[in-house]
Amino acid sequence: RDKSTVDIAIKAALTGHLLLSTLHTNDAISTIVRLTNMGVPNFMVASAFSLIVAQRLARKTCPDCRIPDEKINPKVLSSIGFTPEQASRIKPVIGKGCGTCASGGADVGSGYKGRMGIYEILKITKNLKGAILRKATTQELKEVALKDNFRTMQDMGREMLLTGDLSFAEYQRVLALE
């Protein structure tokens, strides 16, 4: 959270130590930008990192009371990144509330039962190191990462919408881009 802590962490990583740390950012790509904004030179960021993980915690739709969510139409699904063809085939679900999800917890009878992680793993590839070194913007870094098979949290959330583990409302609450 401060320059001196970041300097110590970067130096430890550069000397070959495995360093695990937390940093509050919206996604994995933003970690790179945050560190350079804190004064870490780009060449150090490119050299010190091998992997960045960003994560969120979402409520899982109760498997015992899932029903189709009639309020969610293909146009709404297209707005979060589904192709029109995919959006027309998806049947989003919502939990209506039942005995299973009513058994304990803060979300009693809410249609949610348990929680699950939604995450993205950004591998610092040769291409991404080059982009960091040339001081690429956040969008440029994301484009390079996507070419190297980077999957965003939104991608994982869309997959969970397909399986019914995530409701559209929970997707919006946890993953909506601002």
Side-chain angles (χ1 to χ4, degrees):
R1 290 184 181 230
D2 60 72
K3 178 78 168 107
S4 63
T5 304
V6 169
D7 288 342
I8 292 167
I10 293 292
K11 286 176 184 162
L14 288 172
T15 60
H17 291 83
L18 174 63
L19 178 74
L20 303 173
S21 184
T22 60
L23 182 66
H24 295 278
T25 59
N26 289 331
D27 54 34
I29 300 284
S30 298
T31 300
I32 296 165
V33 176
R34 172 74 53 87
L35 290 170
T36 56
N37 288 345
M38 291 179 78
V40 179
N42 289 37
F43 74 91
M44 288 182 129
V45 173
S47 299
F49 284 88
S50 56
L51 200 71
I52 301 171
V53 178
Q55 64 183 359
R56 305 271 173 88
L57 193 59
R59 297 175 296 177
K60 190 172 182 176
T61 306
C62 178
D64 293 341
C65 65
R66 291 178 184 170
I67 58 170
D69 189 347
E70 302 298 335
K71 293 184 276 183
I72 308 305
N73 60 42
K75 183 178 179 184
V76 172
L77 292 170
S78 293
S79 74
I80 62 165
F82 285 107
T83 66
E85 191 259 323
Q86 289 172 322
S88 66
R89 290 185 291 130
I90 297 170
K91 303 294 179 220
V93 297
I94 192 166
K96 66 178 180 176
C98 68
T100 301
C101 56
S103 58
D107 297 329
V108 174
S110 65
Y112 297 108
K113 181 70 175 172
R115 298 186 187 274
M116 62 191 164
I118 298 176
Y119 53 89
E120 61 189 25
I121 301 169
L122 178 64
K123 185 173 195 262
I124 307 301
T125 62
K126 185 178 179 180
N127 293 331
L128 197 54
K129 281 184 183 190
I132 294 168
L133 290 172
R134 71 172 190 275
K135 300 180 181 180
T137 65
T138 304
Q139 186 57 40
E140 291 168 338
L141 290 169
K142 186 174 183 179
E143 288 169 9
V144 170
L146 289 170
K147 287 179 185 171
D148 287 342
N149 299 317
F150 173 62
R151 288 184 50 234
T152 66
M153 286 184 282
Q154 287 74 20
D155 293 335
M156 187 174 186
R158 284 190 292 274
E159 289 174 15
M160 291 176 168
L161 277 169
L162 288 169
T163 64
D165 289 332
L166 192 66
S167 69
F168 183 81
E170 191 66 357
Y171 179 96
Q172 286 291 93
R173 185 183 77 81
V174 175
L175 297 173
L177 298 173
E178 296 167 18

